């Protein structure tokens, strides 16, 4: 084990993106029986390869399904260094939003927030996580959805649905994303926040809605007040 890890470390320090034999050797080490060697190999590839290298990105993406959480975590982080914003491997990263490891889920969310552009396949993957039985997965999926889809009407509808989620942490995540959209002038989001501030059964969710409304500029909040109240009444009928 120690010898193989040392060999990976040597390739990491001496290799370069043009060093094809070293890259191939590291890719081979992704199948090593020891998870520590696989972690070291993933990290080395993330640091050595150029962003957009399809061969290396595809190889590392396979390690997203590794049995060891440490390898999956290293793979997510390395793909954040390797993938382009329109890369298909980011769909695989989105799959880790449902990982059993909280650290892996957090890393996946961070990578998606940093890199992702609007992508239907990616949105489909994320929406699939919104019905996951784990509240933490639904929470992270909502945040990723808000980051990627932004003011898309279907995103607003999804967020409104999850304001009725049985988990307060999921409702609070929906509130946070709606707050971001309200700050961009979305009147429906503003109306929904106004309703949550008054009617959610959990104080922490009401506080989150109140905080989101407070962050809006006083001028915008004042101008939008009457429109928001009108939309709130419409939403009340729809809910």
């Amino acid at each position: 084990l120690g010898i193989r890890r040392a060999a990976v470390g040597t390739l990491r320090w001496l290799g370069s993106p043009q060093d094809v034999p070293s890259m191939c050797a590291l890719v081979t080490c992704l199948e090593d029986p020891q998870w520590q060697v696989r972690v070291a190999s993933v990290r080395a590839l993330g640091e050595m390869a150029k962003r957009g290298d399809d061969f290396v990105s595809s190889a590392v993406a396979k390690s997203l399904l590794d049995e060891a959480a440490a390898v999956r975590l290293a793979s997510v982080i390395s793909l954040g260094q390797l993938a382009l914003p329109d890369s298909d491997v980011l769909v695989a990263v989105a799959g880790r939003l449902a990982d059993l490891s909280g650290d892996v889920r957090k890393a996946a969310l961070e990578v998606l927030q940093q890199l992702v552009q609007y992508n239907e396949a990616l949105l489909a993957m994320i929406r699939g996580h919104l019905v996951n039985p784990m509240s933490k997965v639904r929470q992270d999926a909502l945040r990723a959805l808000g980051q990627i889809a932004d003011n898309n009407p279907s995103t607003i509808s999804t967020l409104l649905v999850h304001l009725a989620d049985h988990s307060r942490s999921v409702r609070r995540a929906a509130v946070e994303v709606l707050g971001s959209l309200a700050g961009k002038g979305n009147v429906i989001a503003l109306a929904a926040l106004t309703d949550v501030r008054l009617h959610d059964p959990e104080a922490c969710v009401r506080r989150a809605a109140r905080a989101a409304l407070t962050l809006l500029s006083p001028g915008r909040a004042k101008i939008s007040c009457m429109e928001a109240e009108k939309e709130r009444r419409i939403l009340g009928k729809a809910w």
Side-chain angles (χ1 to χ4, degrees):
L1 170 60
I3 294 175
R4 296 199 300 277
R5 288 182 67 182
V8 169
T10 300
L11 292 174
R12 178 180 179 181
W13 290 113
L14 299 180
S16 70
Q18 292 76 34
D19 188 351
V20 175
S22 292
M23 289 291 187
C24 291
L26 288 170
V27 168
T28 299
C29 288
L30 296 177
E31 303 293 334
D32 194 276
Q34 297 294 331
W35 67 264
Q36 296 94 331
V37 175
R38 300 198 300 275
V39 167
S41 301
V42 167
R43 289 174 177 169
L45 287 167
E47 293 179 8
M48 288 174 56
K50 291 182 179 180
R51 184 177 290 278
D53 187 318
D54 290 336
F55 170 70
V56 174
S57 295
S58 297
V60 173
K62 293 178 182 178
S63 294
L64 290 171
L65 301 177
D66 195 280
E67 62 182 14
V71 178
R72 299 195 302 275
L73 175 60
S75 300
V76 168
I77 294 171
S78 288
L79 286 171
Q81 299 169 303
L82 293 169
L84 295 172
D86 60 351
S87 175
D88 290 340
V89 299
L90 292 178
V91 177
V93 172
R96 292 301 91 205
L97 290 173
D99 198 278
L100 293 176
S101 165
D103 289 339
V104 176
R105 295 196 302 269
K106 180 181 178 182
L109 179 60
E110 290 174 353
V111 168
L112 293 174
Q113 289 175 331
Q114 291 169 7
L115 289 179
V116 164
Q117 297 175 346
Y118 189 87
N119 180 308
E120 284 295 340
L122 193 56
L123 284 176
M125 171 69 76
I126 291 172
R127 287 194 177 105
H129 294 323
L130 293 174
V131 296
N132 191 288
M134 294 175 59
S135 62
K136 178 62 177 172
V137 172
R138 300 197 302 279
Q139 176 182 333
D140 288 344
L142 282 175
R143 289 177 173 143
L145 184 66
Q147 182 72 25
I148 297 166
D150 204 28
N151 261 322
N152 186 291
S154 65
T155 300
I156 299 294
S157 298
T158 299
L159 291 167
L160 296 181
V161 167
H162 284 275
L163 288 177
D165 195 283
H166 63 81
S167 166
R168 65 184 181 184
S169 66
V170 175
R171 298 199 303 277
R172 187 167 55 192
V175 163
E176 291 169 359
V177 177
L178 284 167
S180 174
L181 299 181
K184 298 175 183 177
N186 191 294
V187 177
I188 295 178
L190 179 63
L193 289 173
T194 303
D195 192 84
V196 171
R197 179 179 63 85
L198 296 173
H199 299 125
D200 193 276
E202 294 285 349
C204 65
V205 181
R206 296 196 300 273
R207 284 196 299 270
R210 185 162 56 247
L213 289 167
T214 302
L215 289 175
L216 297 176
S217 66
R220 176 177 291 168
K222 184 176 180 180
I223 291 171
S224 302
C225 185
M226 292 182 64
E227 293 181 357
E229 178 59 26
K230 179 180 178 181
E231 293 288 348
R232 191 184 70 78
R233 290 197 295 270
I234 294 172
L235 288 171
K237 294 179 181 178
W239 291 353

